[in-house]
Amino acid sequence: MRRFVSGVLSSYQKRSLSHRSLRFFSSTTSLSNSDSPSSSSSAAMPTPVTLETINPKVLECEYAVRGEIVTLAQRLQQELQEKPGSLPFDEILYCNIGNPQSLGQQPITFFREVIALCDHPPILDKSETQGLFSADAIERAWQILDQIPGRATGAYSHSQGIKGLRDTIAAGIEARDGFPSNPNDIFLTDGASPAVHMMMQLLIRTEKDGILCPIPQYPLYSASIVLHGGTLVPYYLDEATGWGLEISELQKQLEDAKSKGITVRALVVINPGNPTGQVLSEDNQRDIVEFCKKEGLVLLADEVYQENVYVPDKKFHSFKKISRSMGYGEEDISVVSFQSVSKGYYGECGKRGGYMEVTGFGADVREQIYKVASVNLCSNITGQILASLVMSPPKVGDESYESYFMEKDGILSSLARRAKTLEDALNSLEGVTCNKAEGAMYLFPRIHLPEKAIKAAEAAKTAPDAFYARRLLNATGIVVVPGSGFGQVPGTWHFRCTILPQEDKIPAVVSRLTEFHKGFMEEFRD
């Protein structure tokens, strides 16, 4: 039978080749009659995709933390590799993005042990495993694998994420807040960013739908609002009061948007703040909840830095906890909280794990959120496992607890010291003022640039803070993000700097930055 089919195919292929040959010769004959093909005929073919024909929303959106300055840094890094000693510095110090492990932070041992065991279950039955892995990591891996159909971390899961892992996360939220959490409210995602996009997709119908967003803000929000066709309604944080969030400012911007025919659908709050590093007080949070309740707004709470609080007089409280403590339930206010395994003390950015807890939506709307989640099939399983571990780490009495606590405390204590060192260094510079980093991973200093520097930036057709950041990179190898990438009060200039370089590198960051700034101010002094 196979021989027969093969023969038929062979016969068909011969006929096909014969026909193609005839067409080819016919074509070449006609070409020879008309000399040669016009060289311009292929050039005249339209290009299917150009900047003029792609989605204009893509052109409009920007994401500064991986923008022009970072592209230049990558070129300089390649130059250092190809020609060591060719630049006035020997390494690039990436202070542009919250990416802890790329700057030397080590992963939490317990988390990685559990992931390794889950990804390769056969080693769980080997005698050597008992000596290589902690007993509680082995036990947790068995528990997790029993919750995964087929014990397969390489298989798709439920669109919201594995039910047992959502149970664990809900229990962790309840332990944190003191109020119940429903696993069915939790959608596991590849980090917090896809969850933000899902909510923007749900809320934004046309450009007449607006989202109240802090300025400065993490550019994920401005980019997502633009991509989904909505309007960013800015509210300005008050730098003079430590980046305070004033309800009067929210009200003013809401009324202004309404006067322009914009329907404001939601309020974004980033707590602890990015790029500003402030931690909201409970009283301020209650005022924000009350504002959303009164105005009928969805509260989108970016809480990915909840573990990163460095001052003793401030503590993280989730907005869901605050709203429940005020007596508001599901029927009173819609709150969506975002969490990620990328930040905190764990810093597992590349594992792409996170979740959103969606409360205060009707069953019919929840079905639509589930449908959007289903389009993406599911988030990656490693990220799902990590999200459950973050919300349920080792407890007192577990074999891993001591080493886990030492690793966690060591990272957070070091971050607090780094934040203070950089904050003090920045405030010592001429024309620079920097608020305290109460939380998150960043400092957002204001730079009072000389008029001569501002004019030089205008001549270079760039924003003054981008001009400063570019000069800083070329002179020192330090990568920061211009404040214009996050938004700022017009006429003010800032940059965002992470506190993530390892402690032994902080003195180099301080000395390089100090030397550069002195030279810059002298060069452009009015």
Side-chain angles (χ1 to χ4, degrees):
M1 179 66 183
R2 276 197 300 253
R3 201 177 301 120
F4 171 75
V5 172
S6 173
V8 170
L9 285 173
S10 177
S11 173
Y12 171 79
Q13 286 165 346
K14 285 175 184 174
R15 290 199 304 273
S16 177
L17 281 169
S18 175
H19 285 308
R20 284 202 297 271
S21 298
L22 284 172
R23 284 199 300 270
F24 172 76
F25 284 118
S26 170
S27 171
T28 53
T29 304
S30 78
L31 284 176
S32 64
N33 289 340
S34 59
D35 296 322
S36 61
S38 168
S39 59
S40 64
S41 62
S42 59
M45 289 288 289
T47 304
V49 181
T50 66
L51 289 180
E52 288 72 32
T53 60
I54 67 170
N55 185 341
K57 296 183 182 72
V58 174
L59 289 174
E60 191 182 341
C61 89
E62 295 179 358
Y63 188 68
V65 296
R66 294 200 178 198
E68 176 192 357
I69 302 292
V70 181
T71 302
L72 173 59
Q74 290 164 344
R75 286 203 300 268
L76 293 175
Q77 184 169 343
Q78 187 173 348
E79 186 175 335
L80 278 175
Q81 290 169 346
E82 294 171 355
K83 302 175 186 175
S86 61
L87 297 172
F89 45 85
D90 56 5
E91 67 176 326
I92 302 291
L93 290 169
Y94 286 97
C95 299
N96 62 298
I97 195 168
N99 195 13
Q101 292 186 27
S102 73
L103 294 172
Q105 181 175 307
Q106 295 303 301
I108 299 297
T109 303
F110 175 78
F111 294 171
R112 286 300 182 89
E113 284 190 349
V114 175
I115 289 170
L117 291 165
C118 287
D119 272 341
H120 195 48
I123 63 175
L124 281 164
D125 292 323
K126 295 188 180 296
S127 58
E128 305 97 300
T129 301
Q130 307 294 327
L132 293 171
F133 294 85
S134 58
D136 53 335
I138 293 170
E139 183 184 356
R140 185 72 67 91
W142 277 121
Q143 290 173 0
I144 290 170
L145 286 169
D146 285 344
Q147 295 165 350
I148 302 174
R151 294 181 172 173
T153 59
Y156 290 134
S157 76
H158 185 280
S159 295
Q160 278 185 246
I162 294 161
K163 174 62 165 58
L165 300 182
R166 286 187 282 125
D167 290 338
T168 300
I169 290 169
I173 293 171
E174 187 167 334
R176 181 195 69 192
D177 292 348
F179 291 95
S181 175
N182 184 343
N184 293 325
D185 290 341
I186 293 164
F187 289 75
L188 290 167
T189 53
D190 290 327
S193 299
V196 170
H197 281 291
M198 284 170 64
M199 292 314 301
M200 295 303 176
Q201 202 167 16
L202 182 85
L203 294 169
I204 294 170
R205 299 162 297 185
T206 72
E207 70 280 356
K208 288 296 184 182
D209 282 328
I211 308 292
L212 271 163
C213 201
I215 298 296
Q217 52 96 35
Y218 176 46
L220 162 68
Y221 290 96
S222 54
S224 183
I225 291 166
V226 167
L227 284 173
H228 295 292
T231 296
L232 186 149
V233 178
Y235 67 89
Y236 288 92
L237 301 176
D238 185 2
E239 187 169 10
T241 59
W243 300 112
L245 195 166
E246 303 293 336
I247 300 300
S248 58
E249 170 68 5
L250 291 180
Q251 196 69 56
K252 173 188 166 191
Q253 299 297 345
L254 176 67
E255 295 306 322
D256 183 58
K258 285 180 179 177
S259 71
K260 296 172 182 171
I262 294 169
T263 302
V264 178
R265 307 296 311 282
L267 167 67
V268 172
V269 181
I270 306 173
N271 181 48
N274 176 8
T276 48
Q278 87 282 12
V279 178
L280 297 176
S281 69
E282 284 187 75
D283 286 344
N284 200 184
Q285 286 186 269
R286 289 190 192 94
D287 290 341
I288 292 164
V289 168
E290 200 61 63
F291 174 79
C292 288
K293 170 77 170 64
K294 177 170 70 80
E295 300 295 345
L297 302 178
V298 177
L299 177 50
L300 300 176
D302 182 328
E303 299 176 337
V304 305
Y305 296 99
Q306 58 191 257
E307 299 280 0
N308 300 88
V309 179
Y310 309 123
V311 290
D313 58 328
K314 291 286 183 77
K315 187 180 176 186
F316 169 79
H317 299 281
S318 76
F319 270 100
K320 183 188 151 202
K321 172 186 174 181
I322 295 294
S323 65
R324 296 295 181 265
S325 69
M326 295 170 68
Y328 293 138
E330 285 276 341
E331 67 286 351
D332 299 309
I333 186 170
S334 300
V335 180
V336 182
S337 55
F338 305 107
Q339 167 64 317
S340 171
V341 306
S342 301
K343 310 305 175 188
Y345 57 90
Y346 15 92
E348 293 280 12
C349 304
K351 298 300 184 184
R352 307 311 300 133
Y355 68 81
M356 64 177 176
E357 185 182 23
V358 178
T359 60
F361 291 82
D364 51 350
V365 175
R366 291 290 297 278
E367 284 181 19
Q368 300 308 308
I369 300 173
Y370 177 76
K371 180 171 69 178
V372 173
S374 299
V375 170
N376 295 320
L377 294 173
C378 71
S379 58
N380 79 88
I381 305 302
T382 299
Q384 292 189 33
I385 293 170
L386 259 172
S388 76
L389 296 174
V390 161
M391 296 307 291
S392 181
K395 295 173 177 58
V396 176
D398 292 342
E399 183 184 327
S400 294
Y401 179 76
E402 263 190 55
S403 61
Y404 158 77
F405 180 80
M406 284 178 61
E407 289 173 2
K408 172 186 175 180
D409 185 62
I411 291 168
L412 291 173
S413 298
S414 176
L415 286 170
R417 289 191 298 271
R418 286 178 253 174
K420 184 71 170 69
T421 300
L422 286 169
E423 174 197 323
D424 290 346
L426 287 162
N427 279 317
S428 72
L429 300 178
E430 178 188 358
V432 176
T433 54
C434 184
N435 280 321
K436 182 186 289 290
E438 297 177 334
M441 295 178 170
Y442 316 100
L443 293 161
F444 198 64
R446 179 176 177 181
I447 44 176
H448 300 262
L449 294 171
E451 192 60 34
K452 191 175 171 184
I454 293 171
K455 286 180 178 173
E458 288 171 357
K461 294 184 170 54
T462 188
D465 47 11
F467 179 77
Y468 180 93
R470 180 182 279 270
R471 292 282 296 254
L472 173 66
L473 171 59
N474 282 322
T476 68
I478 297 172
V479 189
V480 298
V481 188
S484 45
F486 301 91
Q488 54 200 336
V489 172
T492 67
W493 310 107
H494 302 77
F495 63 83
R496 188 186 80 165
C497 177
T498 72
I499 61 173
L500 293 176
Q502 291 298 291
E503 267 193 274
D504 61 352
K505 296 207 183 271
I506 294 294
V509 173
V510 169
S511 61
R512 288 189 204 180
L513 177 59
T514 301
E515 184 181 351
F516 163 79
H517 187 79
K518 285 178 180 174
F520 183 92
M521 295 301 282
E522 283 301 324
E523 180 182 351
F524 293 101
R525 195 172 299 284
D526 294 328

